[in-house]
Amino acid sequence: MTRWTRLHRIPIAAAVLVALAGCASTPRPSGPCVILVSLDGFGWNFREDASTPVLDALAAGGVVAEAMRPVFPTMTFPNHYSIATGLYPYQHGIVDNSFPSEDRTGWYTLSDRTAVEDGRWYGGEPIWVTAEKNGLTSAAFYFVGTEAAIAGVRPTYWRHFDGSVPGEARVRQALEWLSLPPDERPHLVTLYFEDVDSATHDFGPGSAQSAAAIERVDRYLGQLTRSPATSGCHLVVVSDHGQYGFNADAPPFVLSEYIDLDGLGIVEHLSYLSIFFDGSAVARAAAVRDAINARWPHGRAYLRDETPAHWRVNGHRRFGDLIVIADPGYSVIAEPGGDSRIAGATHGWDPSFVHMRGIFIANGPRLP
């Protein structure tokens, strides 16, 4: 029987820990396992767009949320690390895919391998660290944070991110880990697939390319669940956010046409952008906010300390001094040219927007 529930982000880590609880009380060699799978960009309703027999069967026999509401910003890195820790970005510190340190002397960005693998950026305690601290073995074929030594701890088995590795190869490695001798076999395995996010960015929700990606990740899950190596395992399938297309009749709001960008550091995502003012320019923030809000009917600029309460920015200095967010379907860029993906779809809009919601499906002997 399917159990339906409304699910916010915080219970996901708790659900995985509930399943792992059976491991901690069982002798290490024979304990059960949990497999946490992330389908990046898989919207809450994307199963309607393609044939997903494996996901449908997992949902029918397990626990499925109506939707998973992401955290702000609705981006890959903050949401994955929130899933892993049960914390909001202001608590764990991964507030975007790219952001500065509190003192603005360094930057974290997803393309910087040194930063991504530096455990000092990551607060909180992700589930694989909790597992390792409690005598359990963890393995990661990608998940935000698993490449860093957080509190000095990495998964026992892990991989540097390489997007060229096919999904089938990722599953094969996970199955090899799960086929290890009992005293080496992991109790927690994470897997990550970006197929749906990439295809939907480029071609939009409902496109043939997006549907093909949805069906492809469903086949990865079939490859995983058909193997005897996963027998008795708990499978938790999540996504970090959904995707939504752009209003074809609305050109981007271009900041440089209305304000002077000199002295500003800007992180762009089309749906929103963050502005960082250097020490001499901080006094300009309110004036820049007002200039944007006076000229743009399809979005709004907020000083960090006046952002909506449900974003839970809470004054954390890794967030921008000014956050400029478009209404769903609209876009904002710093200068003419922008991002070529504007013809497809994106995320990053307010987490209360329904199309930013993701999925949660769990199946296994302890669920429900």
Side-chain angles (χ1 to χ4, degrees):
M1 180 181 71
T2 301
R3 179 187 294 175
W4 285 88
T5 182
R6 291 182 179 272
L7 189 73
H8 287 243
R9 183 263 324 142
I10 287 179
I12 296 177
V16 177
L17 288 171
V18 165
L20 278 173
C23 305
S25 60
T26 305
R28 180 180 176 124
S30 59
C33 71
V34 176
I35 306 170
L36 174 63
V37 180
S38 167
L39 307 180
D40 195 328
F42 199 111
W44 70 281
N45 59 347
F46 276 17
R47 283 196 289 149
E48 300 172 2
D49 296 340
S51 174
T52 56
V54 180
L55 278 168
D56 295 345
L58 290 170
V63 178
V64 57
E66 178 180 340
M68 187 281 293
R69 180 168 170 171
V71 297
F72 177 84
T74 52
M75 300 299 293
T76 295
F77 269 51
N79 273 277
H80 274 90
Y81 201 58
S82 285
I83 288 168
T85 60
L87 300 174
Y88 289 101
Y90 83 91
Q91 296 170 312
H92 61 59
I94 305 300
V95 303
D96 203 336
N97 291 352
S98 182
F99 55 87
S101 58
E102 290 89 330
D103 61 7
R104 307 291 168 87
T105 60
W107 278 80
Y108 178 103
T109 184
L110 58 80
S111 61
D112 182 345
R113 302 308 311 164
T114 300
V116 166
E117 295 175 22
D118 184 347
R120 292 173 296 181
W121 286 102
Y122 303 86
E125 184 174 280
I127 53 176
W128 53 89
V129 172
T130 302
E132 295 280 348
K133 284 184 174 181
N134 285 275
L136 304 176
T137 300
S138 63
F141 211 122
Y142 310 155
F143 208 92
V144 172
T146 57
E147 297 166 84
I150 298 171
V153 179
R154 278 191 173 95
T156 299
Y157 312 104
W158 61 280
R159 292 288 184 272
H160 294 281
F161 181 76
D162 179 354
S164 69
V165 177
E168 294 88 352
R170 303 179 195 188
V171 175
R172 283 197 300 271
Q173 176 62 84
L175 295 175
E176 288 177 15
W177 284 328
L178 291 167
S179 301
L180 288 169
D183 59 347
E184 300 175 28
R185 184 178 190 257
H187 295 95
L188 170 67
V189 177
T190 68
L191 278 164
Y192 168 82
F193 303 110
E194 67 273 25
D195 304 53
V196 176
D197 186 68
S198 298
T200 310
H201 267 307
D202 291 340
F203 300 101
S207 65
Q209 294 86 349
S210 178
I214 292 168
E215 294 181 358
R216 189 161 58 250
V217 298
D218 194 72
R219 290 195 296 273
Y220 300 157
L221 292 171
Q223 179 186 354
L224 188 69
T225 57
R226 285 192 302 270
S227 171
T230 61
S231 177
C233 288
H234 301 82
L235 183 62
V236 181
V237 183
V238 299
S239 63
D240 48 353
H241 54 70
Q243 291 264 28
Y244 190 66
F246 294 97
N247 183 339
D249 299 323
F253 182 79
V254 183
L255 287 186
S256 63
E257 295 178 359
Y258 303 96
I259 62 173
D260 180 6
L261 303 185
D262 186 50
L264 307 184
I266 300 176
V267 175
E268 296 183 73
H269 295 295
L270 291 178
S271 51
Y272 81 100
L273 55 77
S274 296
I275 302 178
F276 300 88
F277 294 80
D278 63 28
S280 62
V282 168
R284 293 175 50 201
V288 171
R289 173 202 61 193
D290 294 343
I292 294 170
N293 290 340
R295 293 167 173 82
W296 191 26
H298 301 299
R300 187 163 184 83
Y302 298 92
L303 297 177
R304 181 174 56 241
D305 292 335
E306 63 183 19
T307 51
H310 70 275
W311 290 5
R312 292 180 170 84
V313 168
N314 288 44
H316 198 296
R317 279 184 51 78
R318 289 186 182 179
F319 284 100
D321 299 303
L322 190 68
I323 299 173
V324 185
I325 188 165
D327 293 337
Y330 292 86
S331 56
V332 55
I333 56 178
E335 297 180 283
D339 191 313
S340 61
R341 293 183 305 185
I342 202 162
T346 198
H347 42 94
W349 286 294
D350 192 297
S352 65
F353 177 47
V354 65
H355 291 289
M356 292 300 93
R357 295 176 183 175
I359 60 168
F360 176 94
I361 298 172
N363 191 294
R366 294 173 62 89
L367 300 168

